[in-house]
Amino acid sequence: MNEKRRAKIAVLGSINMDLMIRSAKLPLPGETVIADTKVENPGGKGANQAVAAARMGADVTMIGCVGDDSFAEELVQNLKAEGIDTRHITRKPNTTSGVAVVMVETSGENAILVVPGANALVGLAELEQARQVICDSDVLLMQLEVPVETVIAAAAIAREAGVPVILDPAPAPAGFSPELLNVDLICPNQTEAAALLGKPLSSLEDVIASIPTLAEQGPRRILVTMADQGAVLFDGESVQIIPPFTIQAIDSTAAGDAFAAGLAVKLAEQATLWEAARFASAAGAIAASGAGAQTAMPNREQIETLITKQ
């Protein structure tokens, strides 16, 4: 890629308002826990990844839907403030915007409840309107908080135009069409990889052993993130371990989103998969060291500084 041209990333995905609730511990089923604080922050896996990619220096277009509630304008304006092209965000009448209730305990563990709202209405009409943007992009980045049929259709548009597709298969579907994984790269975490395979993956060795079976499902390349154990990379030929970055985790809510964005940006810049994975790992580590989702997304300088230090 020409050094002077910024990477062009199209992000198809969810746009939510996150209601962040912090407490000493997460409630067990049937248990009531008195929480410490509640904060509203713009989120959604798609929007999180769009913000992260923009902060990493890419030109980003967001493709998705919001409702006509009080959150809608705030969500769109927040993305505009990050320099993201919002012309392909559709406002759906008589619909709530997506909302996520994110419960975070002191250890950094989290549990999330999502009301899809307008995200469930991202369909073929939105894709047709954004077709040219997808075709003109260096990378199409997607997740699974919008309808799977839309994700599959968008991947087909990108494939036809020769645009690489990165899928963050989160939340992992219980059952899915094989066509869903017909992409250039998937980047599940350990739990999501297990869900895709329909069997538990309890160790690094389990994940490494599962790569051939996962590859048979369609993705050309695979990166499975494993928190403080690093990541397992499959480049289409061999398996490698990406070492973790040592950092104090505060909130892992959006670490995976920062990771996916880092992959998209570096691969759009023609980096090798190893280079992209290292960059993405650093991005994910920094995101986990901050509070919230978009508020914790790192910029380019922070990521490159961490890579240099470690």
Side-chain angles (χ1 to χ4, degrees), residues 194-270:
L196 292 174
L197 291 167
K199 66 177 184 180
L201 300 173
S202 57
S203 67
L204 182 64
E205 290 72 27
D206 284 351
V207 171
I208 292 170
S210 75
I211 291 295
T213 306
L214 203 49
E216 285 172 7
Q217 296 192 29
R220 261 71 78 194
R221 297 182 289 179
I222 300 166
L223 260 166
V224 181
T225 58
M226 300 190 66
D228 58 4
Q229 293 187 75
V232 178
L233 177 158
F234 173 66
D235 61 7
E237 295 180 358
S238 62
V239 175
Q240 301 173 65
I241 307 300
I242 306 294
F245 285 88
T246 304
I247 202 157
Q248 180 63 47
I250 293 175
D251 179 358
S252 62
T253 302
D257 293 334
F259 185 93
L263 282 180
V265 172
K266 290 300 284 184
L267 290 175
E269 294 173 353
Q270 304 297 311

Side-chain angles (χ1 to χ4, degrees), residues 14 18 31 43 60 66 75 122 124 151-152 155 160-161 172 175 205 221 223 227 230 250 255 263 275 294 296 310:
S14 56
D18 288 349
E31 180 184 18
V60 181
V66 293
L75 291 171
V122 180
L124 301 185
V151 171
I152 291 172
E160 189 177 326
E205 290 72 27
R221 297 182 289 179
L223 260 166
I250 293 175
L263 282 180
E275 291 167 339
Q294 292 173 23
Q310 296 192 31

Side-chain angles (χ1 to χ4, degrees), residues 12-45:
L12 170 69
S14 56
I15 305 167
N16 290 338
M17 182 60 79
D18 288 349
L19 307 180
M20 184 81 62
I21 299 170
R22 294 187 169 277
S23 63
K25 66 186 287 289
L26 297 178
L28 299 171
E31 180 184 18
T32 298
V33 173
I34 304 301
D36 300 323
T37 59
K38 190 264 303 187
V39 179
E40 292 180 7
N41 287 313
K45 294 191 72 63

Side-chain angles (χ1 to χ4, degrees), residues 153-167:
I157 291 172
R159 200 159 49 242
E160 189 177 326
V163 174
V165 178
I166 298 175
L167 176 66

